[in-house]
């Protein structure tokens, strides 16, 4: 290899001599991978197979020193840089075309402090890593309903989870963070040190640096909780969702629920009600009795289970590699008219793998003090997630169009806001989406942080906040 071609941030290409590239490789404890290496292909691929970009190189960082080396190398040469944590970004932000892909998947350690009720989590850890470390102590962190998703990415964008109604979002439980900024500097952000930066990390995404370690608050969970899934035929969908809405309107914060249209393994479309009660199993059974008895479900897996089992409910669907395009919207309410629209859109989905999901909010999510985090939209009743998922490239337009039309059809019931972590993969969408994620006041604060910590917009592979 005499030279390697890299993309610059402005879209131009630059050829770097082999000696220059070798200089970076020699500074690393982790692996330096190019297209000539056998592990390049599996490393560049992410869960969303719609993302088919080819990085100039992939660095598998072994520690913060590697992260600093890569950031400095990219910043000095104005190269395109992307960070891959869990690899679950629907938009594929972790994979740059002809840029540097910084892969944090080797940085996955989790350290639990039982007395302080917190965990220190490296930037490449997944929720499965975190749950495995905390469950033996009867503790859990908020966020992450799919075990293979990255802790850092979910947290920086907000972070819904089964504990959200009790304890807020993952970002609300972010105590401190260690990160590498655009100048290669290692910083800590906490209430005592760089508090404004900590505020920005609570919903501002990866705009201000590469988070190499997070400190997350932990909460007690019962050894067994009443949880599981109910499945109903789609003929019962409107009645089932209306009943779920009514149950959640009176439910205590300790009851969490998700309603979703999906398909069973044999392809039969169903409406799923997934719920968990964080308290005595008998009380959970009582609260969920209306949902279990009003109609005869196709199956009912509700039972006392462990928190780890609860966290694995969605893992199968979350791990399968396929083409996907996501859209989201916060709903102010879910009247019968909205439910009818959801059912109609479910019947129109081009792919049986696609889903429409309602994540019920409020409780501690709503009570979080205004301005406590960069994350917005605290008054919403539900988060609507539309996941178009399919197999063949020739079906790309039909499935994307269905996702967009579904969100548009529910706009009369929406707040006008969207959730950063649930967005698709089109760069053209970003200018439209950013104002829907942040209020003007919040966005102005985030721009000020961007100007301070990343004035050249090195960290641009995200729902980007431009420094102006």
């Amino acid at each position: 290899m005499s030279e390697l071609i890299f993309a610059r941030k402005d879209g131009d290409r630059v050829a770097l001599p082999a000696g220059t590239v070798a200089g970076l490789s020699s500074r690393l404890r982790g692996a330096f991978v190019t297209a000539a290496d056998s592990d390049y292909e599996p490393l560049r691929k992410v869960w969303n197979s719609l993302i088919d970009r080819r990085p100039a190189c992939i660095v598998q960082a072994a520690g913060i020193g590697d992260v600093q080396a890569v950031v400095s190398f990219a910043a000095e040469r104005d190269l395109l840089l992307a960070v891959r944590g869990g690899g679950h970004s629907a938009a594929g932000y972790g994979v740059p075309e002809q840029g540097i892909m910084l892969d944090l998947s080797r940085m996955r350690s989790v350290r639990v402090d039982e007395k302080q009720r917190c965990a220190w989590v490296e930037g490449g850890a997944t929720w499965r890593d975190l749950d495995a470390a905390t469950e033996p102590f009867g503790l859990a962190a908020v966020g992450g309903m799919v075990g293979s998703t990255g802790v850092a990415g979910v947290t920086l964008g907000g972070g819904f989870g089964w504990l959200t109604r009790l304890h807020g979002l993952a970002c609300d439980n972010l105590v401190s963070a260690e990160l590498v900024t655009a100048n290669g500097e290692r910083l800590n952000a906490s209430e005592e040190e760089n508090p404004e930066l900590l505020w920005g990390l609570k919903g501002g995404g990866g705009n201000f640096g590469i988070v190499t370690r997070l400190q997350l608050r932990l909460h007690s969970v019962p050894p067994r909780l009443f949880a599981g899934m109910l499945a109903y035929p789609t003929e019962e969908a409107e009645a089932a969702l209306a009943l779920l809405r009514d149950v959640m309107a009176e439910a205590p914060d300790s009851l969490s629920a998700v309603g979703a249209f999906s398909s069973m393994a044999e392809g039969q479309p169903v409406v799923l009600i997934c719920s968990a009660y964080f308290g005595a199993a008998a009380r959970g059974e009582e609260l969920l009795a209306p949902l279990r008895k009003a109609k005869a479900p196709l199956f009912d897996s509700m039972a006392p289970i462990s928190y780890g089992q609860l966290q694995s409910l969605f893992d199968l669907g979350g791990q399968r590699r396929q083409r996907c395009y996501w859209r989201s919207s916060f709903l102010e309410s879910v009247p019968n008219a909205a439910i009818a629209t959801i059912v109609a859109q479910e019947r129109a989905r081009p792919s049986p793998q696609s889903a429409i999901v309602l994540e019920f909010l409020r409780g501690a999510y709503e009570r979080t003090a205004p301005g406590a985090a960069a994350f917005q939209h605290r008054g919403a009743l539900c988060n609507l997630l539309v996941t178009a998922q399919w197999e063949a490239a020739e079906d790309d337009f039909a499935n994307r169009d269905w996702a967009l039309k579904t969100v548009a059809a529910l706009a009369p019931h929406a707040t006008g806001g969207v959730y950063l972590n649930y967005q698709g993969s089109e760069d053209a969408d970003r200018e439209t989406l950013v104002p829907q994620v942040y209020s003007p006041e919040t966005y102005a604060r985030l721009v000020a942080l961007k100007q301070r910590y990343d004035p050249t917009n090195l960290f641009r592979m995200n729902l980007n906040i431009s420094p102006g």
Side-chain angles (χ1 to χ4, degrees):
M1 179 183 69
S2 59
E3 62 182 21
L4 203 60
I5 307 299
F6 286 84
R8 300 172 69 104
K9 294 191 322 237
D10 59 9
D12 289 342
R13 297 289 194 268
V14 60
L16 297 184
T20 300
V21 176
L24 170 62
S25 179
S26 66
R27 296 170 60 189
L28 303 172
R29 290 194 299 118
F32 184 89
V33 179
T34 69
D37 297 305
S38 60
D39 49 353
Y40 174 83
E41 284 297 319
L43 285 174
R44 78 175 181 90
K45 293 178 179 178
V46 289
W47 166 76
N48 183 0
S49 61
L50 193 64
I51 308 304
D52 190 29
R53 306 186 192 119
R54 302 184 65 83
C57 68
I58 301 170
V59 174
Q60 289 192 289
I64 191 170
D66 286 357
V67 174
Q68 290 176 294
V70 170
V71 167
S72 296
F73 185 87
E76 289 166 7
R77 295 162 181 83
D78 206 31
L79 304 180
L80 184 63
L81 173 66
V83 183
R84 182 190 190 277
H88 239 278
S89 164
Y93 290 141
V95 190
E97 181 63 37
Q98 211 59 37
I100 301 176
M101 178 176 172
L102 180 58
D103 181 359
L104 303 182
S105 62
R106 293 188 178 186
M107 298 174 58
R108 297 174 63 170
S109 73
V110 178
R111 182 170 66 85
V112 176
D113 186 325
E114 183 182 9
K115 292 183 179 179
Q116 296 291 327
R117 292 201 172 194
C118 65
W120 281 264
V121 186
E122 281 196 300
T126 64
W127 287 98
R128 188 176 298 113
D129 298 325
L130 178 53
D131 291 335
T134 59
E135 189 171 16
F137 299 99
L139 299 171
V142 177
M145 290 183 172
V146 175
S148 56
T149 52
V151 174
V154 169
T155 302
L156 296 178
F160 298 119
W162 293 109
L163 289 165
T164 289
R165 283 169 52 86
L166 268 176
H167 302 296
L169 294 167
C171 71
D172 298 329
N173 290 273
L174 178 61
V175 179
S176 68
E178 172 191 79
L179 68 161
V180 175
T181 56
N183 62 4
E185 184 181 3
R186 175 179 180 173
L187 285 182
N188 290 308
S190 67
E191 292 295 341
E192 294 75 32
E193 190 176 5
N194 301 307
E196 182 71 0
L197 179 57
L198 178 67
W199 171 87
L201 294 174
K202 294 181 177 184
N207 273 284
F208 313 114
I210 299 174
V211 173
T212 52
R213 190 174 67 159
L214 308 94
Q215 182 187 5
L216 295 172
R217 190 176 297 110
L218 301 178
H219 305 278
S220 294
V221 291
R224 309 291 285 178
L225 48 95
F226 196 75
M229 289 187 180
L230 302 169
Y232 297 94
T234 52
E235 294 79 10
E236 305 289 351
E238 289 193 43
L241 287 180
L243 186 55
L244 175 61
R245 173 201 62 201
D246 295 344
V247 166
M248 293 307 296
E250 304 295 329
D253 296 351
S254 48
L255 183 65
S256 183
V258 173
F261 282 101
S262 189
S263 297
M264 298 181 71
E266 62 274 16
Q268 179 185 0
V270 293
V271 60
L272 297 174
I273 292 176
C274 312
S275 190
Y277 178 69
F278 292 87
R283 176 58 176 154
E285 203 164 353
E286 178 185 341
L287 288 168
L288 292 167
L291 288 167
R292 304 175 75 201
K293 295 178 179 178
K295 300 285 183 181
L298 295 171
F299 73 81
D300 179 350
S301 69
M302 301 296 298
I305 61 174
S306 69
Y307 183 75
Q309 290 173 306
L310 171 66
Q311 284 286 83
S312 67
L313 283 182
F314 300 143
D315 275 4
L316 183 60
Q319 293 172 14
R320 182 178 179 183
R321 192 167 187 269
Q322 56 195 333
R323 303 173 82 81
C324 73
Y325 183 75
W326 290 11
R327 273 293 176 263
S328 77
S329 179
F330 287 102
L331 302 183
E332 289 184 308
S333 61
V334 189
N336 290 340
I339 292 175
T341 299
I342 292 170
V343 172
Q345 286 303 116
E346 182 276 333
R347 290 173 179 158
R349 59 184 177 155
S351 168
Q353 299 168 37
S354 297
I356 303 174
V357 182
L358 289 176
E359 298 173 311
F360 282 83
L361 304 173
R362 298 202 168 143
Y365 169 83
E366 183 180 41
R367 291 193 297 270
T368 301
F375 187 93
Q376 310 278 282
H377 315 298
R378 299 290 181 164
L381 172 66
C382 287
N383 184 59
L384 169 75
L385 167 62
V386 180
T387 69
Q389 301 183 166
W390 67 100
E391 301 290 345
E394 58 264 29
D395 297 327
D396 286 359
F397 175 80
N399 284 277
R400 286 178 174 175
D401 187 58
W402 171 80
L404 292 168
K405 285 180 176 176
T406 299
V407 170
L410 287 159
H413 312 288
T415 67
V418 301
Y419 178 40
L420 184 153
N421 284 343
Y422 287 170
Q423 300 312 315
S425 55
E426 295 179 354
D427 289 345
D429 293 337
R430 297 190 200 185
E431 289 186 8
T432 302
L433 289 171
V434 167
Q436 298 177 65
V437 175
Y438 307 109
S439 69
E441 297 79 14
T442 294
Y443 187 67
R445 285 179 70 179
L446 292 172
V447 168
L449 282 170
K450 187 74 170 180
Q451 291 170 341
R452 179 175 179 183
Y453 294 105
D454 185 20
T456 66
N457 207 12
L458 177 65
F459 307 118
R460 64 193 300 123
M461 289 288 290
N462 46 45
L463 194 66
N464 195 236
I465 296 166
S466 172

